[in-house]
Amino acid sequence: MTTLARLVEVHRLAVAGQEPAIAQDIGHLVSRTWLRRSRFADVAALANATLTLGPNAGAFYDLGWVQSATGHPRRALISYAQALDLYREAGHRGNEAATLTNIGGVYNRLGDRERALAYYEQALPIAREVGHRGNEAATLANIGGVYGRLGDRERALTYFEQALPIQREIGDRAGEATTLNNIGGVYANVSDGERALTYFEQALPIRREVGDRRGEATTLNNIGLIYVYLGERERALTYYEQALPIIREIGDRASEAVTRYNIGMIHRADGNLDQAIHELEVVVDLDRQVDHPDLASDTLVLEQVRKERAEARDTT
């Protein structure tokens, strides 16, 4: 039995034996490893088992991470808020900063950039105060990500360029890959596809090296988008089709909907309307499952493609 398997068994016995302190410590330790490998369903089961013994900041934090990563941002905010209260009550400043950063990340993905920045700007001085270089770098990179999405390229790059050397200095390969990916995103947003590709192609092997399955899928999707922009649809499709099984494996239905939409649009552009409709029908179903804000627009696109197919059949 591996060390990790032993720890999982210890956690099971601690839960069964009503030993909260052991279950909490071991559960959080195992979850750190599983989160890096995108084993989200396993982390959720572990955290929920721990929480049967009473409130615990680490379990709420891990659960929030899973909920955010699998397309349930509102649930994630509730879990993170519970973790934040407990960390503050216990005076765990470093964990407080990490939780603030993650809450900011949820708001960023929801498109609420101002609220995301507010949380990141609370987290950054705390991370510096406690000397947690990893959290400092992650927060700098996240602030850069917000400015990138706001179209402020120079400010975004300034923050990324502060984060990247810290991540390299402390050997944070996963963080380095995320920052490289995000720098690529900045260049993609200003239509500099070639430069964006150079950063995505640096990020991809690192994400594979560290076993970051969700990050790997994100970068594969980003490379696919660049090839669409460059007019190389077939090449783009190969990257989307690499990303899709990973996204399904980790259970991120919201991202699955986005990837399938992109695949559908390539089939539509190539005149493969039956395949496009198949993908879009799955997209709409996934949108309904996760209450995706694009449900109405994706449904409209599906109807448009169905109409295109009917018109094509009428002319033959």
Side-chain angles (χ1 to χ4, degrees):
M1 186 181 288
T2 66
T3 300
L4 192 60
R6 288 193 187 97
L7 290 174
V8 173
E9 179 62 10
V10 171
H11 179 269
R12 186 189 69 78
L13 292 171
V15 171
Q18 299 288 297
E19 296 285 350
I22 296 172
Q24 290 163 3
D25 289 346
I26 298 297
H28 194 51
L29 179 63
V30 173
S31 291
R32 297 292 86 211
T33 299
W34 281 352
L35 285 170
R36 288 194 294 271
R37 298 174 184 172
S38 301
R39 291 182 57 176
F40 298 129
D42 291 329
V43 173
L46 206 69
N48 282 317
T50 301
L51 289 169
T52 63
L53 304 180
N56 175 252
F60 281 128
Y61 179 93
D62 296 337
L63 197 55
W65 189 320
V66 167
Q67 290 161 336
S68 177
T70 55
H72 300 284
R74 300 297 177 187
R75 294 182 201 172
L77 288 174
I78 293 169
S79 296
Y80 279 140
Q82 291 170 295
L84 184 62
D85 286 345
L86 291 168
Y87 282 138
R88 283 175 166 164
E89 182 181 315
H92 291 162
R93 296 284 278 166
N95 291 332
E96 177 186 351
T99 307
L100 287 165
T101 294
N102 286 3
I103 293 172
V106 176
Y107 280 117
N108 193 22
R109 284 187 289 278
L110 286 169
D112 190 339
R113 312 298 182 208
E114 288 188 10
R115 192 172 291 186
L117 275 177
Y119 277 96
Y120 292 148
E121 287 169 354
Q122 289 180 67
L124 185 58
I126 299 173
R128 286 174 167 161
E129 168 198 322
V130 300
H132 197 305
R133 299 283 276 163
N135 281 354
E136 178 186 355
T139 307
L140 287 165
N142 288 333
I143 294 172
V146 173
Y147 283 118
R149 289 180 176 87
L150 291 172
D152 191 337
R153 171 186 170 185
E154 295 306 318
R155 191 175 287 186
L157 290 175
T158 296
Y159 280 97
F160 289 142
E161 287 164 0
Q162 292 179 67
L164 194 57
I166 297 173
Q167 289 162 335
R168 287 174 169 160
E169 170 196 326
I170 65 176
D172 180 6
R173 295 286 279 166
E176 177 185 352
T178 299
T179 301
L180 288 167
N181 179 81
N182 290 345
I183 293 173
V186 170
Y187 287 113
N189 288 339
V190 296
S191 302
D192 190 341
E194 296 293 346
R195 190 174 292 187
L197 268 181
T198 65
Y199 283 97
F200 293 146
E201 288 170 350
Q202 290 178 68
L204 184 59
I206 301 174
R207 288 188 142 168
R208 286 173 168 159
E209 168 198 323
V210 301
D212 179 2
R213 298 288 277 165
R214 183 171 185 267
E216 178 184 351
T218 297
T219 302
L220 286 165
N221 269 323
N222 288 342
I223 294 172
L225 285 169
I226 294 298
Y227 280 120
V228 169
Y229 167 74
L230 295 173
E232 298 185 45
R233 290 197 299 270
E234 289 307 308
R235 199 165 186 181
L237 191 59
T238 66
Y239 282 93
Y240 291 144
E241 289 175 343
Q242 290 178 68
L244 186 58
I246 300 172
I247 292 167
R248 296 188 68 188
E249 170 195 319
I250 65 178
D252 184 352
R253 288 174 293 175
S255 293
E256 181 183 348
V258 173
T259 302
R260 285 188 178 276
Y261 181 90
N262 292 338
I263 291 171
M265 290 302 95
I266 289 178
H267 288 311
R268 182 188 191 186
D270 288 341
N272 302 321
L273 299 182
D274 286 340
Q275 289 173 276
I277 288 168
H278 168 72
E279 294 296 340
L280 290 168
E281 286 174 342
V282 178
V283 168
V284 169
D285 183 54
L286 289 165
D287 285 349
R288 288 195 182 103
Q289 291 179 40
V290 299
D291 194 23
H292 200 288
D294 290 342
L295 173 60
S297 59
D298 289 344
T299 302
L300 180 60
V301 172
L302 172 59
E303 293 307 315
Q304 289 171 340
V305 179
R306 283 174 173 162
K307 183 178 179 182
E308 290 167 14
R309 182 178 64 179
E311 290 171 350
R313 287 175 175 173
D314 288 343
T315 59
T316 58

